Amino acid sequence: MKNTRRFYIRDFEIELLIDSKVYKPSFTSMLIARNIPDLDGLDVLDIGTGSGILSIIASRLNARRIIATDISVRALNNAYENFKINNVWNVELRLGSVFEPVEDEEFDIIISNPPMTPSHQPLPRYTWGGLDGRWVLDEIIRGAPKHLKNGGRLIIPTISLVGIEKTYRLLRDIGFKIRVLDYGYHPFSRRLMNLKKYIDRLDCADYFYDNHGRPCWRVVLYEATMLKHH
Ligand SMILES: C[S@@+](CC[C@H](N)C(=O)[O-])C[C@H]1O[C@@H](n2cnc3c(N)ncnc32)[C@H](O)[C@@H]1O
């Protein structure tokens, strides 16, 4: 079943075709969308584009050229439809995992909302982040320096279920200059409630209860700048 939904983000009105088998823009997608900087004339890579939402925002923010990737063919088809609906013509779609589809290419900005759900087994819509939820996230952070121009920036969130400080330390150890762009929190979804016992056993997972008694994860959005030549 497919239907469309309208999103209002910053000054932009975006219409998306919703595919039940593709990740729907979420709380974290919106947090990123609200914080993408002006991209006037910049080359952008969007890893794990899903519905294409972040690439559409990047295009509205005047990016020169955008490469949007995903490991899901279904997601790439959905993003393609969404670029058409929103009259976005400067995005190129590529299939593959993390940096596979971009070989030696360099970008001014890399954006990603990686799958970060920790679980002992794969989950629907490619939302599985591996046993500790960090597999894709860490691959992106470790691979980013090779694919960023001098002064290029990686914009990436981390949820508290996979260790917010762990991301900070990894970025710092690789040599990024780090800034927090935004943060927030959100109650567990039904899927996370079902995984709560597993999550409780993870060393780096952290969450709190809000005043309705609901468990909530936190999210921090990092901007990490790579200075290659001093
Ligand atoms: C959390 S969703 C984000 C989708 C969209 N960017 C957004 O913010 O709404 C993660 C996306 O990454 C894709 N994905 C999962 N593993 C991947 C990998 N190894 N390489 C590239 N994309 C991946 C999924 O298919 C999914 O579309």
PDB file of all heavy atoms in Angstrom, residues 22-26 28-30 32 46-55 69-72 75 96-99 112-116 125-128 135-136, ligand 1:
ATOM      1  N   VAL A  22       9.697   0.886   3.219  1.00  0.00           N
ATOM      2  CA  VAL A  22      10.832   1.830   3.273  1.00  0.00           C
ATOM      3  C   VAL A  22      10.697   2.657   4.551  1.00  0.00           C
ATOM      4  O   VAL A  22       9.581   3.019   4.944  1.00  0.00           O
ATOM      5  CB  VAL A  22      10.835   2.746   2.018  1.00  0.00           C
ATOM      6  CG1 VAL A  22      11.933   3.796   2.110  1.00  0.00           C
ATOM      7  CG2 VAL A  22      10.993   1.910   0.754  1.00  0.00           C
ATOM      8  N   TYR A  23      11.843   2.940   5.169  1.00  0.00           N
ATOM      9  CA  TYR A  23      11.886   3.710   6.415  1.00  0.00           C
ATOM     10  C   TYR A  23      11.179   5.057   6.251  1.00  0.00           C
ATOM     11  O   TYR A  23      11.523   5.842   5.372  1.00  0.00           O
ATOM     12  CB  TYR A  23      13.356   3.925   6.774  1.00  0.00           C
ATOM     13  CG  TYR A  23      13.610   4.624   8.086  1.00  0.00           C
ATOM     14  CD1 TYR A  23      13.722   3.897   9.262  1.00  0.00           C
ATOM     15  CD2 TYR A  23      13.765   5.995   8.143  1.00  0.00           C
ATOM     16  CE1 TYR A  23      13.975   4.533  10.467  1.00  0.00           C
ATOM     17  CE2 TYR A  23      14.028   6.640   9.342  1.00  0.00           C
ATOM     18  CZ  TYR A  23      14.129   5.898  10.492  1.00  0.00           C
ATOM     19  OH  TYR A  23      14.388   6.533  11.678  1.00  0.00           O
ATOM     20  N   LYS A  24      10.212   5.314   7.102  1.00  0.00           N
ATOM     21  CA  LYS A  24       9.466   6.584   7.045  1.00  0.00           C
ATOM     22  C   LYS A  24      10.245   7.653   7.800  1.00  0.00           C
ATOM     23  O   LYS A  24      10.837   7.354   8.833  1.00  0.00           O
ATOM     24  CB  LYS A  24       8.107   6.425   7.727  1.00  0.00           C
ATOM     25  CG  LYS A  24       7.050   5.825   6.843  1.00  0.00           C
ATOM     26  CD  LYS A  24       5.714   5.796   7.535  1.00  0.00           C
ATOM     27  CE  LYS A  24       5.424   4.481   8.228  1.00  0.00           C
ATOM     28  NZ  LYS A  24       5.702   3.259   7.508  1.00  0.00           N
ATOM     29  N   PRO A  25      10.246   8.899   7.319  1.00  0.00           N
ATOM     30  CA  PRO A  25      10.943   9.960   8.058  1.00  0.00           C
ATOM     31  C   PRO A  25      10.495   9.962   9.524  1.00  0.00           C
ATOM     32  O   PRO A  25       9.301   9.907   9.816  1.00  0.00           O
ATOM     33  CB  PRO A  25      10.500  11.225   7.328  1.00  0.00           C
ATOM     34  CG  PRO A  25      10.248  10.776   5.937  1.00  0.00           C
ATOM     35  CD  PRO A  25       9.652   9.405   6.072  1.00  0.00           C
ATOM     36  N   SER A  26      11.470   9.989  10.407  1.00  0.00           N
ATOM     37  CA  SER A  26      11.220   9.798  11.834  1.00  0.00           C
ATOM     38  C   SER A  26      11.639  11.051  12.590  1.00  0.00           C
ATOM     39  O   SER A  26      12.082  12.042  12.007  1.00  0.00           O
ATOM     40  CB  SER A  26      12.083   8.633  12.314  1.00  0.00           C
ATOM     41  OG  SER A  26      13.446   9.009  12.173  1.00  0.00           O
ATOM     42  N   THR A  28      14.318  11.425  14.291  1.00  0.00           N
ATOM     43  CA  THR A  28      15.734  11.725  14.010  1.00  0.00           C
ATOM     44  C   THR A  28      15.908  12.309  12.611  1.00  0.00           C
ATOM     45  O   THR A  28      16.713  13.227  12.410  1.00  0.00           O
ATOM     46  CB  THR A  28      16.601  10.453  14.200  1.00  0.00           C
ATOM     47  OG1 THR A  28      16.380   9.957  15.520  1.00  0.00           O
ATOM     48  CG2 THR A  28      18.077  10.746  14.014  1.00  0.00           C
ATOM     49  N   SER A  29      15.140  11.807  11.631  1.00  0.00           N
ATOM     50  CA  SER A  29      15.213  12.389  10.279  1.00  0.00           C
ATOM     51  C   SER A  29      14.911  13.890  10.347  1.00  0.00           C
ATOM     52  O   SER A  29      15.583  14.711   9.716  1.00  0.00           O
ATOM     53  CB  SER A  29      14.188  11.754   9.332  1.00  0.00           C
ATOM     54  OG  SER A  29      14.133  10.371   9.464  1.00  0.00           O
ATOM     55  N   MET A  30      13.872  14.236  11.126  1.00  0.00           N
ATOM     56  CA  MET A  30      13.457  15.641  11.230  1.00  0.00           C
ATOM     57  C   MET A  30      14.509  16.474  11.962  1.00  0.00           C
ATOM     58  O   MET A  30      14.762  17.624  11.595  1.00  0.00           O
ATOM     59  CB  MET A  30      12.110  15.765  11.970  1.00  0.00           C
ATOM     60  CG  MET A  30      10.984  15.153  11.215  1.00  0.00           C
ATOM     61  SD  MET A  30      10.844  15.876   9.558  1.00  0.00           S
ATOM     62  CE  MET A  30      10.069  14.562   8.692  1.00  0.00           C
ATOM     63  N   ILE A  32      17.686  15.998  11.924  1.00  0.00           N
ATOM     64  CA  ILE A  32      18.763  16.252  10.960  1.00  0.00           C
ATOM     65  C   ILE A  32      18.292  17.298   9.947  1.00  0.00           C
ATOM     66  O   ILE A  32      18.989  18.279   9.677  1.00  0.00           O
ATOM     67  CB  ILE A  32      19.183  14.960  10.223  1.00  0.00           C
ATOM     68  CG1 ILE A  32      19.644  13.905  11.221  1.00  0.00           C
ATOM     69  CG2 ILE A  32      20.290  15.245   9.207  1.00  0.00           C
ATOM     70  CD1 ILE A  32      19.851  12.515  10.604  1.00  0.00           C
ATOM     71  N   ASP A  46      24.554  11.532   0.744  1.00  0.00           N
ATOM     72  CA  ASP A  46      23.519  11.133   1.711  1.00  0.00           C
ATOM     73  C   ASP A  46      23.525   9.610   1.773  1.00  0.00           C
ATOM     74  O   ASP A  46      23.039   8.945   0.854  1.00  0.00           O
ATOM     75  CB  ASP A  46      22.166  11.698   1.236  1.00  0.00           C
ATOM     76  CG  ASP A  46      20.975  11.180   2.041  1.00  0.00           C
ATOM     77  OD1 ASP A  46      21.181  10.685   3.158  1.00  0.00           O
ATOM     78  OD2 ASP A  46      19.836  11.309   1.535  1.00  0.00           O
ATOM     79  N   ILE A  47      24.085   9.058   2.850  1.00  0.00           N
ATOM     80  CA  ILE A  47      24.213   7.593   2.949  1.00  0.00           C
ATOM     81  C   ILE A  47      22.968   7.008   3.624  1.00  0.00           C
ATOM     82  O   ILE A  47      22.623   7.402   4.735  1.00  0.00           O
ATOM     83  CB  ILE A  47      25.471   7.198   3.751  1.00  0.00           C
ATOM     84  CG1 ILE A  47      26.726   7.738   3.076  1.00  0.00           C
ATOM     85  CG2 ILE A  47      25.551   5.673   3.918  1.00  0.00           C
ATOM     86  CD1 ILE A  47      28.015   7.475   3.862  1.00  0.00           C
ATOM     87  N   GLY A  48      22.317   6.080   2.950  1.00  0.00           N
ATOM     88  CA  GLY A  48      21.082   5.473   3.479  1.00  0.00           C
ATOM     89  C   GLY A  48      19.929   6.443   3.331  1.00  0.00           C
ATOM     90  O   GLY A  48      19.292   6.850   4.296  1.00  0.00           O
ATOM     91  N   THR A  49      19.617   6.801   2.103  1.00  0.00           N
ATOM     92  CA  THR A  49      18.660   7.894   1.843  1.00  0.00           C
ATOM     93  C   THR A  49      17.217   7.525   2.171  1.00  0.00           C
ATOM     94  O   THR A  49      16.396   8.400   2.440  1.00  0.00           O
ATOM     95  CB  THR A  49      18.808   8.370   0.376  1.00  0.00           C
ATOM     96  OG1 THR A  49      18.170   9.628   0.237  1.00  0.00           O
ATOM     97  CG2 THR A  49      18.208   7.375  -0.621  1.00  0.00           C
ATOM     98  N   GLY A  50      16.867   6.233   2.175  1.00  0.00           N
ATOM     99  CA  GLY A  50      15.491   5.829   2.498  1.00  0.00           C
ATOM    100  C   GLY A  50      14.493   6.455   1.539  1.00  0.00           C
ATOM    101  O   GLY A  50      14.573   6.280   0.320  1.00  0.00           O
ATOM    102  N   SER A  51      13.570   7.242   2.069  1.00  0.00           N
ATOM    103  CA  SER A  51      12.557   7.922   1.246  1.00  0.00           C
ATOM    104  C   SER A  51      13.156   9.056   0.423  1.00  0.00           C
ATOM    105  O   SER A  51      12.472   9.632  -0.426  1.00  0.00           O
ATOM    106  CB  SER A  51      11.495   8.517   2.168  1.00  0.00           C
ATOM    107  OG  SER A  51      12.106   9.496   3.009  1.00  0.00           O
ATOM    108  N   GLY A  52      14.403   9.437   0.730  1.00  0.00           N
ATOM    109  CA  GLY A  52      15.053  10.535   0.014  1.00  0.00           C
ATOM    110  C   GLY A  52      14.900  11.880   0.705  1.00  0.00           C
ATOM    111  O   GLY A  52      15.391  12.897   0.226  1.00  0.00           O
ATOM    112  N   ILE A  53      14.272  11.872   1.859  1.00  0.00           N
ATOM    113  CA  ILE A  53      13.926  13.129   2.543  1.00  0.00           C
ATOM    114  C   ILE A  53      15.124  14.075   2.742  1.00  0.00           C
ATOM    115  O   ILE A  53      15.030  15.265   2.449  1.00  0.00           O
ATOM    116  CB  ILE A  53      13.224  12.830   3.911  1.00  0.00           C
ATOM    117  CG1 ILE A  53      12.913  14.099   4.709  1.00  0.00           C
ATOM    118  CG2 ILE A  53      14.036  11.926   4.814  1.00  0.00           C
ATOM    119  CD1 ILE A  53      11.578  14.663   4.458  1.00  0.00           C
ATOM    120  N   LEU A  54      16.270  13.537   3.210  1.00  0.00           N
ATOM    121  CA  LEU A  54      17.393  14.433   3.507  1.00  0.00           C
ATOM    122  C   LEU A  54      18.024  14.979   2.226  1.00  0.00           C
ATOM    123  O   LEU A  54      18.527  16.102   2.197  1.00  0.00           O
ATOM    124  CB  LEU A  54      18.439  13.724   4.382  1.00  0.00           C
ATOM    125  CG  LEU A  54      17.922  13.258   5.754  1.00  0.00           C
ATOM    126  CD1 LEU A  54      19.028  12.564   6.541  1.00  0.00           C
ATOM    127  CD2 LEU A  54      17.359  14.423   6.569  1.00  0.00           C
ATOM    128  N   SER A  55      17.978  14.191   1.151  1.00  0.00           N
ATOM    129  CA  SER A  55      18.496  14.682  -0.135  1.00  0.00           C
ATOM    130  C   SER A  55      17.589  15.785  -0.689  1.00  0.00           C
ATOM    131  O   SER A  55      18.079  16.739  -1.304  1.00  0.00           O
ATOM    132  CB  SER A  55      18.608  13.543  -1.143  1.00  0.00           C
ATOM    133  OG  SER A  55      19.688  12.704  -0.809  1.00  0.00           O
ATOM    134  N   THR A  69      22.600   7.230  -1.507  1.00  0.00           N
ATOM    135  CA  THR A  69      22.820   5.781  -1.600  1.00  0.00           C
ATOM    136  C   THR A  69      21.861   5.027  -0.687  1.00  0.00           C
ATOM    137  O   THR A  69      21.318   5.593   0.259  1.00  0.00           O
ATOM    138  CB  THR A  69      24.260   5.408  -1.177  1.00  0.00           C
ATOM    139  OG1 THR A  69      24.360   5.566   0.234  1.00  0.00           O
ATOM    140  CG2 THR A  69      25.286   6.265  -1.876  1.00  0.00           C
ATOM    141  N   ASP A  70      21.715   3.754  -0.962  1.00  0.00           N
ATOM    142  CA  ASP A  70      20.994   2.867  -0.035  1.00  0.00           C
ATOM    143  C   ASP A  70      21.328   1.418  -0.412  1.00  0.00           C
ATOM    144  O   ASP A  70      21.720   1.156  -1.542  1.00  0.00           O
ATOM    145  CB  ASP A  70      19.475   3.089  -0.098  1.00  0.00           C
ATOM    146  CG  ASP A  70      18.811   2.809   1.243  1.00  0.00           C
ATOM    147  OD1 ASP A  70      18.720   1.620   1.624  1.00  0.00           O
ATOM    148  OD2 ASP A  70      18.400   3.769   1.925  1.00  0.00           O
ATOM    149  N   ILE A  71      21.161   0.513   0.558  1.00  0.00           N
ATOM    150  CA  ILE A  71      21.332  -0.906   0.214  1.00  0.00           C
ATOM    151  C   ILE A  71      20.007  -1.510  -0.214  1.00  0.00           C
ATOM    152  O   ILE A  71      19.964  -2.676  -0.611  1.00  0.00           O
ATOM    153  CB  ILE A  71      21.911  -1.780   1.349  1.00  0.00           C
ATOM    154  CG1 ILE A  71      21.247  -1.462   2.685  1.00  0.00           C
ATOM    155  CG2 ILE A  71      23.400  -1.696   1.448  1.00  0.00           C
ATOM    156  CD1 ILE A  71      21.373  -2.602   3.669  1.00  0.00           C
ATOM    157  N   SER A  72      18.936  -0.754  -0.089  1.00  0.00           N
ATOM    158  CA  SER A  72      17.615  -1.276  -0.444  1.00  0.00           C
ATOM    159  C   SER A  72      17.171  -0.718  -1.793  1.00  0.00           C
ATOM    160  O   SER A  72      17.033   0.491  -1.962  1.00  0.00           O
ATOM    161  CB  SER A  72      16.621  -0.879   0.653  1.00  0.00           C
ATOM    162  OG  SER A  72      15.302  -0.865   0.156  1.00  0.00           O
ATOM    163  N   ALA A  75      14.035   1.182  -1.442  1.00  0.00           N
ATOM    164  CA  ALA A  75      14.219   2.553  -0.963  1.00  0.00           C
ATOM    165  C   ALA A  75      14.647   3.464  -2.123  1.00  0.00           C
ATOM    166  O   ALA A  75      14.125   4.575  -2.278  1.00  0.00           O
ATOM    167  CB  ALA A  75      15.265   2.587   0.154  1.00  0.00           C
ATOM    168  N   GLY A  96      24.264   0.369  -2.828  1.00  0.00           N
ATOM    169  CA  GLY A  96      25.441  -0.220  -2.198  1.00  0.00           C
ATOM    170  C   GLY A  96      25.532   0.122  -0.721  1.00  0.00           C
ATOM    171  O   GLY A  96      24.819   0.987  -0.222  1.00  0.00           O
ATOM    172  N   SER A  97      26.475  -0.576  -0.054  1.00  0.00           N
ATOM    173  CA  SER A  97      26.631  -0.395   1.388  1.00  0.00           C
ATOM    174  C   SER A  97      27.637   0.711   1.696  1.00  0.00           C
ATOM    175  O   SER A  97      28.711   0.783   1.089  1.00  0.00           O
ATOM    176  CB  SER A  97      27.102  -1.715   1.999  1.00  0.00           C
ATOM    177  OG  SER A  97      27.258  -1.573   3.388  1.00  0.00           O
ATOM    178  N   VAL A  98      27.303   1.568   2.602  1.00  0.00           N
ATOM    179  CA  VAL A  98      28.134   2.657   3.141  1.00  0.00           C
ATOM    180  C   VAL A  98      28.898   3.372   2.014  1.00  0.00           C
ATOM    181  O   VAL A  98      28.274   4.032   1.201  1.00  0.00           O
ATOM    182  CB  VAL A  98      29.044   2.127   4.274  1.00  0.00           C
ATOM    183  CG1 VAL A  98      29.677   3.265   5.064  1.00  0.00           C
ATOM    184  CG2 VAL A  98      28.227   1.286   5.250  1.00  0.00           C
ATOM    185  N   PHE A  99      30.246   3.245   1.933  1.00  0.00           N
ATOM    186  CA  PHE A  99      30.990   4.007   0.918  1.00  0.00           C
ATOM    187  C   PHE A  99      31.228   3.236  -0.383  1.00  0.00           C
ATOM    188  O   PHE A  99      31.839   3.777  -1.308  1.00  0.00           O
ATOM    189  CB  PHE A  99      32.330   4.494   1.496  1.00  0.00           C
ATOM    190  CG  PHE A  99      32.151   5.563   2.539  1.00  0.00           C
ATOM    191  CD1 PHE A  99      32.347   5.285   3.878  1.00  0.00           C
ATOM    192  CD2 PHE A  99      31.763   6.852   2.181  1.00  0.00           C
ATOM    193  CE1 PHE A  99      32.160   6.269   4.844  1.00  0.00           C
ATOM    194  CE2 PHE A  99      31.579   7.838   3.124  1.00  0.00           C
ATOM    195  CZ  PHE A  99      31.781   7.547   4.466  1.00  0.00           C
ATOM    196  N   SER A 112      24.157  11.459   7.119  1.00  0.00           N
ATOM    197  CA  SER A 112      23.568  10.129   7.211  1.00  0.00           C
ATOM    198  C   SER A 112      22.729   9.988   8.469  1.00  0.00           C
ATOM    199  O   SER A 112      23.068  10.534   9.520  1.00  0.00           O
ATOM    200  CB  SER A 112      24.649   9.042   7.201  1.00  0.00           C
ATOM    201  OG  SER A 112      24.024   7.772   7.139  1.00  0.00           O
ATOM    202  N   ASN A 113      21.650   9.269   8.335  1.00  0.00           N
ATOM    203  CA  ASN A 113      20.857   8.828   9.482  1.00  0.00           C
ATOM    204  C   ASN A 113      20.921   7.312   9.449  1.00  0.00           C
ATOM    205  O   ASN A 113      20.040   6.650   8.908  1.00  0.00           O
ATOM    206  CB  ASN A 113      19.416   9.341   9.324  1.00  0.00           C
ATOM    207  CG  ASN A 113      18.527   8.905  10.476  1.00  0.00           C
ATOM    208  OD1 ASN A 113      19.005   8.464  11.509  1.00  0.00           O
ATOM    209  ND2 ASN A 113      17.209   9.033  10.277  1.00  0.00           N
ATOM    210  N   PRO A 114      21.995   6.738   9.986  1.00  0.00           N
ATOM    211  CA  PRO A 114      22.207   5.294   9.797  1.00  0.00           C
ATOM    212  C   PRO A 114      21.241   4.461  10.630  1.00  0.00           C
ATOM    213  O   PRO A 114      20.693   4.949  11.620  1.00  0.00           O
ATOM    214  CB  PRO A 114      23.646   5.085  10.286  1.00  0.00           C
ATOM    215  CG  PRO A 114      23.931   6.215  11.181  1.00  0.00           C
ATOM    216  CD  PRO A 114      23.047   7.356  10.786  1.00  0.00           C
ATOM    217  N   PRO A 115      21.035   3.194  10.225  1.00  0.00           N
ATOM    218  CA  PRO A 115      20.230   2.303  11.063  1.00  0.00           C
ATOM    219  C   PRO A 115      20.976   2.092  12.376  1.00  0.00           C
ATOM    220  O   PRO A 115      22.165   1.785  12.358  1.00  0.00           O
ATOM    221  CB  PRO A 115      20.161   1.017  10.246  1.00  0.00           C
ATOM    222  CG  PRO A 115      21.310   1.069   9.315  1.00  0.00           C
ATOM    223  CD  PRO A 115      21.601   2.509   9.062  1.00  0.00           C
ATOM    224  N   MET A 116      20.300   2.282  13.509  1.00  0.00           N
ATOM    225  CA  MET A 116      20.990   2.172  14.806  1.00  0.00           C
ATOM    226  C   MET A 116      20.227   1.316  15.805  1.00  0.00           C
ATOM    227  O   MET A 116      20.438   1.448  17.007  1.00  0.00           O
ATOM    228  CB  MET A 116      21.194   3.573  15.412  1.00  0.00           C
ATOM    229  CG  MET A 116      22.276   4.395  14.754  1.00  0.00           C
ATOM    230  SD  MET A 116      22.550   5.977  15.565  1.00  0.00           S
ATOM    231  CE  MET A 116      21.224   6.967  14.887  1.00  0.00           C
ATOM    232  N   ARG A 125      12.941  -3.275   7.058  1.00  0.00           N
ATOM    233  CA  ARG A 125      13.314  -1.973   6.465  1.00  0.00           C
ATOM    234  C   ARG A 125      14.781  -1.605   6.709  1.00  0.00           C
ATOM    235  O   ARG A 125      15.129  -0.444   6.811  1.00  0.00           O
ATOM    236  CB  ARG A 125      12.389  -0.863   6.966  1.00  0.00           C
ATOM    237  CG  ARG A 125      10.957  -0.982   6.440  1.00  0.00           C
ATOM    238  CD  ARG A 125      10.084   0.140   6.961  1.00  0.00           C
ATOM    239  NE  ARG A 125       9.780  -0.033   8.377  1.00  0.00           N
ATOM    240  CZ  ARG A 125       8.849  -0.852   8.850  1.00  0.00           C
ATOM    241  NH1 ARG A 125       8.102  -1.528   8.021  1.00  0.00           N
ATOM    242  NH2 ARG A 125       8.652  -0.981  10.130  1.00  0.00           N
ATOM    243  N   TYR A 126      15.629  -2.631   6.848  1.00  0.00           N
ATOM    244  CA  TYR A 126      17.072  -2.401   7.010  1.00  0.00           C
ATOM    245  C   TYR A 126      17.373  -1.444   8.166  1.00  0.00           C
ATOM    246  O   TYR A 126      18.242  -0.593   8.050  1.00  0.00           O
ATOM    247  CB  TYR A 126      17.685  -1.867   5.713  1.00  0.00           C
ATOM    248  CG  TYR A 126      17.513  -2.796   4.542  1.00  0.00           C
ATOM    249  CD1 TYR A 126      16.450  -2.665   3.679  1.00  0.00           C
ATOM    250  CD2 TYR A 126      18.434  -3.816   4.328  1.00  0.00           C
ATOM    251  CE1 TYR A 126      16.285  -3.527   2.611  1.00  0.00           C
ATOM    252  CE2 TYR A 126      18.279  -4.687   3.260  1.00  0.00           C
ATOM    253  CZ  TYR A 126      17.202  -4.535   2.404  1.00  0.00           C
ATOM    254  OH  TYR A 126      17.047  -5.386   1.353  1.00  0.00           O
ATOM    255  N   THR A 127      16.634  -1.570   9.263  1.00  0.00           N
ATOM    256  CA  THR A 127      16.885  -0.682  10.402  1.00  0.00           C
ATOM    257  C   THR A 127      17.853  -1.291  11.407  1.00  0.00           C
ATOM    258  O   THR A 127      18.135  -0.698  12.434  1.00  0.00           O
ATOM    259  CB  THR A 127      15.558  -0.354  11.138  1.00  0.00           C
ATOM    260  OG1 THR A 127      14.882  -1.587  11.381  1.00  0.00           O
ATOM    261  CG2 THR A 127      14.681   0.556  10.302  1.00  0.00           C
ATOM    262  N   TRP A 128      18.364  -2.476  11.076  1.00  0.00           N
ATOM    263  CA  TRP A 128      19.265  -3.165  12.004  1.00  0.00           C
ATOM    264  C   TRP A 128      20.651  -2.518  12.000  1.00  0.00           C
ATOM    265  O   TRP A 128      21.259  -2.337  10.941  1.00  0.00           O
ATOM    266  CB  TRP A 128      19.382  -4.629  11.585  1.00  0.00           C
ATOM    267  CG  TRP A 128      20.078  -5.503  12.586  1.00  0.00           C
ATOM    268  CD1 TRP A 128      19.983  -5.436  13.944  1.00  0.00           C
ATOM    269  CD2 TRP A 128      20.958  -6.597  12.300  1.00  0.00           C
ATOM    270  NE1 TRP A 128      20.733  -6.419  14.531  1.00  0.00           N
ATOM    271  CE2 TRP A 128      21.352  -7.148  13.546  1.00  0.00           C
ATOM    272  CE3 TRP A 128      21.449  -7.177  11.136  1.00  0.00           C
ATOM    273  CZ2 TRP A 128      22.207  -8.239  13.648  1.00  0.00           C
ATOM    274  CZ3 TRP A 128      22.303  -8.268  11.243  1.00  0.00           C
ATOM    275  CH2 TRP A 128      22.675  -8.787  12.479  1.00  0.00           C
ATOM    276  N   TRP A 135      27.104  -0.804  13.808  1.00  0.00           N
ATOM    277  CA  TRP A 135      27.872  -1.284  12.662  1.00  0.00           C
ATOM    278  C   TRP A 135      27.967  -0.245  11.549  1.00  0.00           C
ATOM    279  O   TRP A 135      29.067   0.133  11.135  1.00  0.00           O
ATOM    280  CB  TRP A 135      27.310  -2.617  12.130  1.00  0.00           C
ATOM    281  CG  TRP A 135      28.243  -3.158  11.088  1.00  0.00           C
ATOM    282  CD1 TRP A 135      29.394  -3.842  11.326  1.00  0.00           C
ATOM    283  CD2 TRP A 135      28.140  -2.979   9.670  1.00  0.00           C
ATOM    284  NE1 TRP A 135      30.020  -4.122  10.127  1.00  0.00           N
ATOM    285  CE2 TRP A 135      29.282  -3.602   9.100  1.00  0.00           C
ATOM    286  CE3 TRP A 135      27.218  -2.361   8.834  1.00  0.00           C
ATOM    287  CZ2 TRP A 135      29.515  -3.619   7.728  1.00  0.00           C
ATOM    288  CZ3 TRP A 135      27.451  -2.381   7.458  1.00  0.00           C
ATOM    289  CH2 TRP A 135      28.591  -3.008   6.926  1.00  0.00           C
ATOM    290  N   VAL A 136      26.827   0.249  11.076  1.00  0.00           N
ATOM    291  CA  VAL A 136      26.844   1.194   9.953  1.00  0.00           C
ATOM    292  C   VAL A 136      27.427   2.539  10.410  1.00  0.00           C
ATOM    293  O   VAL A 136      28.251   3.150   9.723  1.00  0.00           O
ATOM    294  CB  VAL A 136      25.429   1.383   9.346  1.00  0.00           C
ATOM    295  CG1 VAL A 136      25.484   2.301   8.135  1.00  0.00           C
ATOM    296  CG2 VAL A 136      24.830   0.041   8.940  1.00  0.00           C
TER     297      VAL A 136
HETATM  298  C1  LIG B   1      17.278   5.170   9.571  1.00  0.00           C
HETATM  299  S1  LIG B   1      16.962   4.995   7.844  1.00  0.00           S
HETATM  300  C2  LIG B   1      17.203   6.684   7.281  1.00  0.00           C
HETATM  301  C3  LIG B   1      16.455   7.045   6.035  1.00  0.00           C
HETATM  302  C4  LIG B   1      16.469   8.544   5.695  1.00  0.00           C
HETATM  303  N1  LIG B   1      17.823   9.017   5.461  1.00  0.00           N
HETATM  304  C5  LIG B   1      15.851   9.334   6.812  1.00  0.00           C
HETATM  305  O1  LIG B   1      16.581  10.024   7.539  1.00  0.00           O
HETATM  306  O2  LIG B   1      14.626   9.261   6.990  1.00  0.00           O
HETATM  307  C6  LIG B   1      18.435   4.157   7.317  1.00  0.00           C
HETATM  308  C7  LIG B   1      18.520   3.857   5.836  1.00  0.00           C
HETATM  309  O3  LIG B   1      19.805   3.279   5.597  1.00  0.00           O
HETATM  310  C8  LIG B   1      19.684   2.184   4.732  1.00  0.00           C
HETATM  311  N2  LIG B   1      20.809   1.290   5.046  1.00  0.00           N
HETATM  312  C9  LIG B   1      20.869   0.288   5.960  1.00  0.00           C
HETATM  313  N3  LIG B   1      22.078  -0.276   5.964  1.00  0.00           N
HETATM  314  C10 LIG B   1      22.820   0.381   5.035  1.00  0.00           C
HETATM  315  C11 LIG B   1      24.164   0.261   4.556  1.00  0.00           C
HETATM  316  N4  LIG B   1      24.988  -0.675   5.039  1.00  0.00           N
HETATM  317  N5  LIG B   1      24.585   1.098   3.577  1.00  0.00           N
HETATM  318  C12 LIG B   1      23.759   2.047   3.070  1.00  0.00           C
HETATM  319  N6  LIG B   1      22.477   2.207   3.484  1.00  0.00           N
HETATM  320  C13 LIG B   1      22.010   1.395   4.448  1.00  0.00           C
HETATM  321  C14 LIG B   1      18.312   1.608   4.999  1.00  0.00           C
HETATM  322  O4  LIG B   1      17.818   0.883   3.878  1.00  0.00           O
HETATM  323  C15 LIG B   1      17.497   2.870   5.322  1.00  0.00           C
HETATM  324  O5  LIG B   1      16.880   3.368   4.158  1.00  0.00           O
END
